[in-house]
Short mmCIF file of all heavy atoms in Angstrom, two decimals:
data_model
loop_
_atom_site.label_atom_id
_atom_site.label_comp_id
_atom_site.label_asym_id
_atom_site.label_seq_id
_atom_site.Cartn_x
_atom_site.Cartn_y
_atom_site.Cartn_z
N MET M 24 0.84 -1.19 0.00
CA MET M 24 0.00 0.00 0.00
C MET M 24 0.88 1.25 0.00
O MET M 24 1.95 1.27 0.58
CB MET M 24 -0.90 -0.02 1.24
CG MET M 24 -1.69 1.25 1.41
SD MET M 24 -2.77 1.15 2.83
CE MET M 24 -3.19 2.88 2.92
N GLU M 25 0.39 2.26 -0.66
CA GLU M 25 1.15 3.48 -0.80
C GLU M 25 0.18 4.67 -0.80
O GLU M 25 -0.86 4.61 -1.42
CB GLU M 25 1.88 3.45 -2.15
CG GLU M 25 3.28 3.97 -2.10
CD GLU M 25 4.01 3.64 -3.38
OE1 GLU M 25 3.54 4.07 -4.45
OE2 GLU M 25 5.02 2.95 -3.31
N MET M 26 0.56 5.72 -0.10
CA MET M 26 -0.26 6.92 -0.10
C MET M 26 0.61 8.10 -0.43
O MET M 26 1.80 8.11 -0.13
CB MET M 26 -0.90 7.12 1.28
CG MET M 26 -1.85 6.00 1.65
SD MET M 26 -2.40 6.13 3.35
CE MET M 26 -3.59 7.44 3.19
N LYS M 27 -0.01 9.10 -1.04
CA LYS M 27 0.72 10.31 -1.39
C LYS M 27 0.09 11.48 -0.66
O LYS M 27 -1.11 11.55 -0.52
CB LYS M 27 0.66 10.54 -2.90
CG LYS M 27 1.39 9.46 -3.67
CD LYS M 27 1.15 9.55 -5.16
CE LYS M 27 -0.24 9.20 -5.57
NZ LYS M 27 -0.56 7.78 -5.38
N SER M 28 0.95 12.39 -0.22
CA SER M 28 0.43 13.47 0.60
C SER M 28 1.20 14.77 0.38
O SER M 28 2.41 14.76 0.14
CB SER M 28 0.54 13.06 2.07
OG SER M 28 0.62 14.16 2.90
N CYS M 29 0.48 15.88 0.48
CA CYS M 29 1.13 17.18 0.47
C CYS M 29 1.64 17.48 1.88
O CYS M 29 1.42 16.70 2.81
CB CYS M 29 0.14 18.25 0.01
SG CYS M 29 -1.20 18.53 1.19
N GLN M 30 2.28 18.62 2.04
CA GLN M 30 2.82 19.02 3.35
C GLN M 30 1.71 19.07 4.41
O GLN M 30 1.88 18.63 5.54
CB GLN M 30 3.46 20.41 3.21
CG GLN M 30 4.11 20.93 4.46
CD GLN M 30 5.46 20.28 4.71
OE1 GLN M 30 6.33 20.34 3.87
NE2 GLN M 30 5.63 19.68 5.85
N THR M 31 0.56 19.58 4.03
CA THR M 31 -0.54 19.76 4.97
C THR M 31 -1.10 18.45 5.50
O THR M 31 -1.48 18.35 6.66
CB THR M 31 -1.70 20.52 4.28
OG1 THR M 31 -1.17 21.72 3.73
CG2 THR M 31 -2.82 20.84 5.26
N HIS M 32 -1.14 17.44 4.65
CA HIS M 32 -1.85 16.22 5.01
C HIS M 32 -0.95 15.06 5.39
O HIS M 32 -1.41 13.93 5.52
CB HIS M 32 -2.76 15.80 3.83
CG HIS M 32 -3.91 16.75 3.64
ND1 HIS M 32 -4.05 17.51 2.51
CD2 HIS M 32 -4.93 17.05 4.46
CE1 HIS M 32 -5.14 18.27 2.65
NE2 HIS M 32 -5.69 18.00 3.81
N VAL M 33 0.33 15.32 5.58
CA VAL M 33 1.25 14.22 5.85
C VAL M 33 0.90 13.50 7.15
O VAL M 33 0.94 12.26 7.22
CB VAL M 33 2.72 14.69 5.81
CG1 VAL M 33 3.02 15.72 6.88
CG2 VAL M 33 3.66 13.52 5.90
N GLU M 34 0.50 14.22 8.17
CA GLU M 34 0.15 13.56 9.44
C GLU M 34 -1.10 12.71 9.29
O GLU M 34 -1.20 11.62 9.84
CB GLU M 34 -0.05 14.60 10.54
CG GLU M 34 1.27 15.14 11.04
CD GLU M 34 1.09 16.09 12.22
OE1 GLU M 34 0.14 15.89 12.99
OE2 GLU M 34 1.91 16.99 12.37
N ARG M 35 -2.04 13.20 8.52
CA ARG M 35 -3.26 12.44 8.26
C ARG M 35 -2.95 11.18 7.46
O ARG M 35 -3.49 10.11 7.73
CB ARG M 35 -4.24 13.33 7.49
CG ARG M 35 -5.52 12.63 7.18
CD ARG M 35 -6.55 13.64 6.76
NE ARG M 35 -7.61 12.97 6.03
CZ ARG M 35 -8.61 13.61 5.44
NH1 ARG M 35 -8.67 14.93 5.49
NH2 ARG M 35 -9.54 12.97 4.80
N ALA M 36 -2.06 11.31 6.49
CA ALA M 36 -1.67 10.14 5.70
C ALA M 36 -1.01 9.09 6.59
O ALA M 36 -1.30 7.90 6.48
CB ALA M 36 -0.73 10.57 4.58
N LEU M 37 -0.13 9.54 7.48
CA LEU M 37 0.52 8.61 8.41
C LEU M 37 -0.51 7.92 9.29
O LEU M 37 -0.48 6.70 9.47
CB LEU M 37 1.54 9.35 9.29
CG LEU M 37 2.81 9.83 8.59
CD1 LEU M 37 3.61 10.72 9.53
CD2 LEU M 37 3.66 8.66 8.14
N ASP M 38 -1.45 8.71 9.83
CA ASP M 38 -2.49 8.14 10.69
C ASP M 38 -3.31 7.09 9.95
O ASP M 38 -3.60 6.02 10.48
CB ASP M 38 -3.43 9.24 11.17
CG ASP M 38 -2.83 10.07 12.29
OD1 ASP M 38 -1.77 9.65 12.82
OD2 ASP M 38 -3.41 11.11 12.64
N GLU M 39 -3.70 7.41 8.74
CA GLU M 39 -4.54 6.49 7.98
C GLU M 39 -3.76 5.24 7.58
O GLU M 39 -4.30 4.14 7.57
CB GLU M 39 -5.10 7.18 6.74
CG GLU M 39 -6.12 8.24 7.13
CD GLU M 39 -7.13 8.53 6.04
OE1 GLU M 39 -7.14 7.81 5.02
OE2 GLU M 39 -7.89 9.49 6.21
N TYR M 40 -2.49 5.44 7.27
CA TYR M 40 -1.66 4.28 6.91
C TYR M 40 -1.56 3.31 8.09
O TYR M 40 -1.74 2.11 7.94
CB TYR M 40 -0.27 4.75 6.47
CG TYR M 40 0.57 3.64 5.91
CD1 TYR M 40 0.66 3.44 4.54
CD2 TYR M 40 1.26 2.76 6.74
CE1 TYR M 40 1.41 2.40 4.01
CE2 TYR M 40 2.01 1.72 6.24
CZ TYR M 40 2.09 1.55 4.87
OH TYR M 40 2.83 0.53 4.37
N VAL M 41 -1.27 3.87 9.24
CA VAL M 41 -1.13 3.04 10.44
C VAL M 41 -2.47 2.35 10.76
O VAL M 41 -2.51 1.17 11.10
CB VAL M 41 -0.65 3.88 11.65
CG1 VAL M 41 -0.73 3.09 12.94
CG2 VAL M 41 0.78 4.37 11.40
N ALA M 42 -3.58 3.09 10.63
CA ALA M 42 -4.90 2.52 10.91
C ALA M 42 -5.22 1.37 9.97
O ALA M 42 -5.80 0.36 10.36
CB ALA M 42 -5.97 3.61 10.79
N LYS M 43 -4.84 1.51 8.70
CA LYS M 43 -5.19 0.50 7.70
C LYS M 43 -4.26 -0.70 7.72
O LYS M 43 -4.68 -1.83 7.46
CB LYS M 43 -5.18 1.12 6.30
CG LYS M 43 -6.41 1.98 6.05
CD LYS M 43 -6.35 2.63 4.68
CE LYS M 43 -7.56 3.54 4.47
NZ LYS M 43 -7.39 4.41 3.31
N THR M 44 -2.98 -0.46 7.97
CA THR M 44 -2.01 -1.55 7.83
C THR M 44 -1.49 -2.05 9.17
O THR M 44 -0.83 -3.08 9.24
CB THR M 44 -0.80 -1.09 7.00
OG1 THR M 44 -0.08 -0.12 7.76
CG2 THR M 44 -1.23 -0.51 5.67
N GLU M 45 -1.75 -1.29 10.26
CA GLU M 45 -1.24 -1.63 11.58
C GLU M 45 0.28 -1.74 11.60
O GLU M 45 0.86 -2.51 12.37
CB GLU M 45 -1.90 -2.90 12.11
CG GLU M 45 -3.41 -2.71 12.28
CD GLU M 45 -4.09 -3.92 12.90
OE1 GLU M 45 -3.49 -5.00 12.85
OE2 GLU M 45 -5.20 -3.76 13.42
N SER M 46 0.92 -1.02 10.72
CA SER M 46 2.38 -0.94 10.76
C SER M 46 2.78 0.50 10.42
O SER M 46 2.02 1.24 9.78
CB SER M 46 3.02 -1.91 9.78
OG SER M 46 2.68 -1.58 8.47
N TYR M 47 3.96 0.86 10.87
CA TYR M 47 4.39 2.24 10.65
C TYR M 47 5.07 2.36 9.29
O TYR M 47 5.93 1.56 8.95
CB TYR M 47 5.34 2.68 11.77
CG TYR M 47 5.36 4.18 11.90
CD1 TYR M 47 4.31 4.86 12.50
CD2 TYR M 47 6.42 4.91 11.39
CE1 TYR M 47 4.31 6.23 12.60
CE2 TYR M 47 6.43 6.29 11.48
CZ TYR M 47 5.36 6.95 12.09
OH TYR M 47 5.37 8.31 12.18
N PRO M 48 4.68 3.35 8.50
CA PRO M 48 5.21 3.48 7.14
C PRO M 48 6.56 4.17 7.08
O PRO M 48 6.99 4.83 8.03
CB PRO M 48 4.16 4.35 6.45
CG PRO M 48 3.64 5.22 7.54
CD PRO M 48 3.66 4.37 8.79
N ILE M 49 7.19 4.04 5.96
CA ILE M 49 8.38 4.82 5.64
C ILE M 49 7.92 6.06 4.88
O ILE M 49 7.13 5.96 3.94
CB ILE M 49 9.35 3.99 4.78
CG1 ILE M 49 9.88 2.81 5.59
CG2 ILE M 49 10.50 4.86 4.28
CD1 ILE M 49 10.60 1.78 4.76
N LEU M 50 8.39 7.19 5.33
CA LEU M 50 8.02 8.46 4.71
C LEU M 50 9.15 8.92 3.79
O LEU M 50 10.28 9.08 4.22
CB LEU M 50 7.78 9.48 5.81
CG LEU M 50 7.18 10.82 5.43
CD1 LEU M 50 5.80 10.64 4.83
CD2 LEU M 50 7.12 11.71 6.66
N THR M 51 8.82 9.09 2.53
CA THR M 51 9.82 9.49 1.55
C THR M 51 9.42 10.83 0.94
O THR M 51 8.28 11.00 0.52
CB THR M 51 9.92 8.45 0.42
OG1 THR M 51 10.10 7.16 1.00
CG2 THR M 51 11.09 8.76 -0.50
N LYS M 52 10.36 11.75 0.89
CA LYS M 52 10.07 13.02 0.25
C LYS M 52 10.19 12.86 -1.26
O LYS M 52 11.16 12.29 -1.76
CB LYS M 52 11.04 14.08 0.75
CG LYS M 52 10.62 15.47 0.36
CD LYS M 52 11.26 16.52 1.28
CE LYS M 52 10.59 17.87 1.06
NZ LYS M 52 11.52 18.93 0.71
N ILE M 53 9.19 13.35 -1.96
CA ILE M 53 9.22 13.27 -3.42
C ILE M 53 10.04 14.45 -3.95
O ILE M 53 9.70 15.60 -3.72
CB ILE M 53 7.79 13.33 -4.00
CG1 ILE M 53 6.97 12.14 -3.51
CG2 ILE M 53 7.84 13.39 -5.53
CD1 ILE M 53 5.50 12.20 -3.89
N GLU M 54 11.12 14.15 -4.63
CA GLU M 54 11.96 15.23 -5.16
C GLU M 54 12.10 15.17 -6.67
O GLU M 54 12.53 16.13 -7.31
CB GLU M 54 13.35 15.17 -4.52
CG GLU M 54 13.27 15.45 -3.02
CD GLU M 54 14.65 15.53 -2.40
OE1 GLU M 54 15.59 15.93 -3.09
OE2 GLU M 54 14.78 15.14 -1.23
N ASN M 55 11.74 14.03 -7.22
CA ASN M 55 11.87 13.86 -8.66
C ASN M 55 10.89 14.76 -9.41
O ASN M 55 9.71 14.78 -9.11
CB ASN M 55 11.60 12.38 -8.99
CG ASN M 55 12.01 12.05 -10.39
OD1 ASN M 55 11.93 12.87 -11.30
ND2 ASN M 55 12.43 10.81 -10.59
N ASP M 56 11.38 15.49 -10.39
CA ASP M 56 10.53 16.38 -11.17
C ASP M 56 9.38 15.64 -11.86
O ASP M 56 8.33 16.20 -12.10
CB ASP M 56 11.35 17.10 -12.24
CG ASP M 56 12.25 18.17 -11.62
OD1 ASP M 56 12.03 18.49 -10.44
OD2 ASP M 56 13.14 18.66 -12.32
N GLU M 57 9.61 14.40 -12.16
CA GLU M 57 8.58 13.60 -12.81
C GLU M 57 7.32 13.52 -11.97
O GLU M 57 6.23 13.31 -12.48
CB GLU M 57 9.05 12.15 -13.00
CG GLU M 57 9.97 11.94 -14.15
CD GLU M 57 10.46 10.48 -14.17
OE1 GLU M 57 9.73 9.61 -13.70
OE2 GLU M 57 11.56 10.27 -14.68
N ASN M 58 7.48 13.64 -10.68
CA ASN M 58 6.36 13.43 -9.77
C ASN M 58 5.62 14.72 -9.44
O ASN M 58 4.73 14.72 -8.61
CB ASN M 58 6.85 12.77 -8.48
CG ASN M 58 7.33 11.36 -8.74
OD1 ASN M 58 6.79 10.68 -9.60
ND2 ASN M 58 8.33 10.95 -8.02
N LEU M 59 5.97 15.81 -10.07
CA LEU M 59 5.32 17.08 -9.75
C LEU M 59 3.83 17.05 -10.04
O LEU M 59 3.07 17.76 -9.43
CB LEU M 59 5.97 18.23 -10.52
CG LEU M 59 7.32 18.67 -9.97
CD1 LEU M 59 7.90 19.78 -10.85
CD2 LEU M 59 7.20 19.17 -8.54
N SER M 60 3.42 16.22 -10.97
CA SER M 60 2.00 16.16 -11.31
C SER M 60 1.24 15.20 -10.40
O SER M 60 0.03 15.08 -10.49
CB SER M 60 1.82 15.74 -12.76
OG SER M 60 2.36 14.45 -12.95
N THR M 61 1.95 14.51 -9.50
CA THR M 61 1.29 13.60 -8.57
C THR M 61 0.53 14.39 -7.52
O THR M 61 1.09 15.27 -6.88
CB THR M 61 2.34 12.71 -7.87
OG1 THR M 61 3.08 12.02 -8.86
CG2 THR M 61 1.67 11.72 -6.95
N LYS M 62 -0.72 14.07 -7.36
CA LYS M 62 -1.53 14.82 -6.40
C LYS M 62 -1.63 14.13 -5.05
O LYS M 62 -1.57 12.90 -4.96
CB LYS M 62 -2.94 15.01 -6.96
CG LYS M 62 -3.01 16.10 -8.00
CD LYS M 62 -4.43 16.32 -8.47
CE LYS M 62 -4.47 17.40 -9.54
NZ LYS M 62 -5.78 17.48 -10.18
N CYS M 63 -1.82 14.95 -4.05
CA CYS M 63 -2.12 14.49 -2.71
C CYS M 63 -3.39 13.62 -2.73
O CYS M 63 -4.31 13.91 -3.48
CB CYS M 63 -2.32 15.72 -1.82
SG CYS M 63 -2.87 15.36 -0.15
N ASP M 64 -3.41 12.60 -1.87
CA ASP M 64 -4.60 11.75 -1.78
C ASP M 64 -5.77 12.44 -1.08
O ASP M 64 -6.90 11.95 -1.10
CB ASP M 64 -4.27 10.46 -1.02
CG ASP M 64 -3.41 9.51 -1.84
OD1 ASP M 64 -3.22 9.77 -3.05
OD2 ASP M 64 -2.93 8.52 -1.27
N PHE M 65 -5.51 13.56 -0.44
CA PHE M 65 -6.55 14.20 0.37
C PHE M 65 -7.01 15.55 -0.17
O PHE M 65 -7.99 16.11 0.29
CB PHE M 65 -6.06 14.39 1.80
CG PHE M 65 -5.59 13.11 2.42
CD1 PHE M 65 -4.24 12.80 2.46
CD2 PHE M 65 -6.49 12.19 2.92
CE1 PHE M 65 -3.80 11.62 3.00
CE2 PHE M 65 -6.06 11.00 3.46
CZ PHE M 65 -4.72 10.71 3.49
N CYS M 66 -6.26 16.11 -1.12
CA CYS M 66 -6.64 17.40 -1.69
C CYS M 66 -6.04 17.50 -3.08
O CYS M 66 -5.47 16.55 -3.60
CB CYS M 66 -6.17 18.55 -0.80
SG CYS M 66 -4.39 18.79 -0.78
N GLU M 67 -6.12 18.66 -3.68
CA GLU M 67 -5.67 18.84 -5.06
C GLU M 67 -4.25 19.39 -5.15
O GLU M 67 -3.77 19.72 -6.23
CB GLU M 67 -6.63 19.78 -5.79
CG GLU M 67 -8.05 19.23 -5.91
CD GLU M 67 -8.08 17.95 -6.74
OE1 GLU M 67 -7.57 17.97 -7.86
OE2 GLU M 67 -8.59 16.94 -6.24
N GLU M 68 -3.59 19.53 -4.02
CA GLU M 68 -2.22 20.03 -4.03
C GLU M 68 -1.26 18.96 -4.55
O GLU M 68 -1.53 17.76 -4.42
CB GLU M 68 -1.80 20.42 -2.61
CG GLU M 68 -2.58 21.57 -2.03
CD GLU M 68 -2.30 22.86 -2.77
OE1 GLU M 68 -1.12 23.16 -3.02
OE2 GLU M 68 -3.28 23.56 -3.10
N PRO M 69 -0.12 19.39 -5.11
CA PRO M 69 0.90 18.40 -5.51
C PRO M 69 1.41 17.65 -4.30
O PRO M 69 1.61 18.24 -3.23
CB PRO M 69 2.01 19.26 -6.10
CG PRO M 69 1.41 20.58 -6.40
CD PRO M 69 0.27 20.77 -5.42
N ALA M 70 1.61 16.35 -4.46
CA ALA M 70 2.10 15.54 -3.35
C ALA M 70 3.57 15.83 -3.09
O ALA M 70 4.37 15.98 -4.01
CB ALA M 70 1.91 14.06 -3.67
N MET M 71 3.93 15.92 -1.82
CA MET M 71 5.34 16.12 -1.44
C MET M 71 5.94 14.90 -0.78
O MET M 71 7.15 14.75 -0.71
CB MET M 71 5.45 17.30 -0.45
CG MET M 71 5.29 18.65 -1.10
SD MET M 71 5.74 19.95 0.08
CE MET M 71 7.48 19.58 0.34
N TYR M 72 5.09 14.04 -0.25
CA TYR M 72 5.57 12.86 0.46
C TYR M 72 4.89 11.60 -0.01
O TYR M 72 3.71 11.61 -0.35
CB TYR M 72 5.31 13.00 1.97
CG TYR M 72 6.06 14.13 2.60
CD1 TYR M 72 5.43 15.34 2.84
CD2 TYR M 72 7.40 14.00 2.93
CE1 TYR M 72 6.12 16.40 3.41
CE2 TYR M 72 8.09 15.03 3.49
CZ TYR M 72 7.46 16.23 3.74
OH TYR M 72 8.14 17.28 4.30
N LEU M 73 5.69 10.56 -0.02
CA LEU M 73 5.19 9.23 -0.33
C LEU M 73 5.19 8.45 0.99
O LEU M 73 6.20 8.38 1.66
CB LEU M 73 6.12 8.59 -1.34
CG LEU M 73 5.64 7.35 -2.07
CD1 LEU M 73 4.38 7.64 -2.87
CD2 LEU M 73 6.74 6.87 -3.01
N VAL M 74 4.04 7.91 1.32
CA VAL M 74 3.91 7.14 2.56
C VAL M 74 3.72 5.68 2.17
O VAL M 74 2.71 5.32 1.56
CB VAL M 74 2.69 7.63 3.37
CG1 VAL M 74 2.56 6.84 4.67
CG2 VAL M 74 2.84 9.12 3.68
N GLY M 75 4.72 4.84 2.47
CA GLY M 75 4.63 3.47 2.02
C GLY M 75 5.54 2.56 2.81
O GLY M 75 6.05 2.95 3.87
N ASN M 76 5.78 1.39 2.28
CA ASN M 76 6.60 0.41 3.03
C ASN M 76 7.94 0.15 2.37
O ASN M 76 8.58 -0.85 2.66
CB ASN M 76 5.82 -0.88 3.24
CG ASN M 76 5.36 -1.49 1.93
OD1 ASN M 76 5.79 -1.05 0.86
ND2 ASN M 76 4.51 -2.47 2.00
N LYS M 77 8.36 1.02 1.47
CA LYS M 77 9.69 0.88 0.90
C LYS M 77 10.24 2.23 0.48
O LYS M 77 9.51 3.21 0.45
CB LYS M 77 9.67 -0.07 -0.28
CG LYS M 77 8.73 0.34 -1.39
CD LYS M 77 8.71 -0.68 -2.47
CE LYS M 77 7.71 -0.32 -3.55
NZ LYS M 77 7.59 -1.30 -4.58
ZN1 ZN Y 122 -3.21 17.49 0.78
#
């Protein structure tokens, strides 16, 4: 499972990840220009963080 989040929603993404998977995720900052069009899972802002298990 993987979630994407902007700066505003990163804590919410972490909370939801833990609630759904019962494990703590690895938080990765998205820096690749290719990912600029990736949107936050909670709003329309560009995602800044990837919340996942790798
Ligand atoms: Zn957001």
Side-chain angles (χ1 to χ4, degrees):
M24 173 178 167
E25 221 169 59
M26 297 172 76
K27 295 171 290 292
S28 155
C29 67
Q30 183 77 56
T31 307
H32 291 115
V33 63
E34 284 185 30
R35 180 165 160 186
L37 289 171
D38 283 349
E39 291 205 8
Y40 188 97
V41 171
K43 284 178 183 167
T44 68
E45 297 184 341
S46 64
Y47 203 76
I49 294 168
L50 189 61
T51 308
K52 192 158 192 236
I53 298 173
E54 295 185 31
N55 192 328
D56 288 347
E57 281 176 29
N58 293 327
L59 284 178
S60 62
T61 303
K62 282 183 182 170
C63 174
D64 288 350
F65 305 99
C66 70
E67 297 297 307
E68 295 294 313
M71 285 190 64
Y72 296 99
L73 195 60
V74 180
N76 57 10
K77 58 183 177 183

